[in-house]
């Protein structure tokens, strides 16, 4: 899936999922990030350092 395709998919489902609960946690936002775990962790850490992210509840 290309970035543009992923972005369009997020726009389509955003209205359905924002505010929904999964495993007793409310979904506040959607974002598109890397699928490689190391890249993903690097992205999350950079967002946290900028004060724009939060630590995920569960990483599997």
């Amino acid at each position: 899936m290309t970035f543009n395709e992923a972005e369009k998919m997020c726009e389509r489902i955003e209205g359905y999922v924002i505010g929904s609960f999964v495993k007793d946690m409310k979904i506040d936002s959607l974002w598109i990030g890397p699928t490689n775990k190391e890249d993903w962790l690097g992205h999350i850490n950079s967002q946290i350092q900028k004060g724009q992210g939060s630590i995920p509840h569960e990483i599997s």
Side-chain angles (χ1 to χ4, degrees):
M1 178 180 297
T2 67
F3 179 81
N4 288 338
E5 291 170 335
E7 192 172 42
K8 288 177 185 177
M9 181 178 285
C10 279
E11 290 171 1
R12 279 199 328 259
I13 65 172
E14 195 171 41
Y16 298 104
V17 298
I18 301 297
S20 299
F21 286 85
V22 176
K23 294 184 180 181
D24 297 326
M25 295 186 68
K26 184 178 178 184
I27 299 174
D28 294 323
S29 63
L30 297 175
W31 58 275
I32 302 167
T35 56
N36 175 291
K37 187 174 181 178
E38 294 302 317
D39 291 345
W40 182 80
L41 291 173
H43 174 76
I44 292 295
N45 287 332
S46 70
Q47 294 301 307
I48 291 170
Q49 289 174 358
K50 292 178 187 176
Q52 298 175 347
S54 60
I55 299 171
H57 176 70
E58 180 180 317
I59 299 175
S60 54

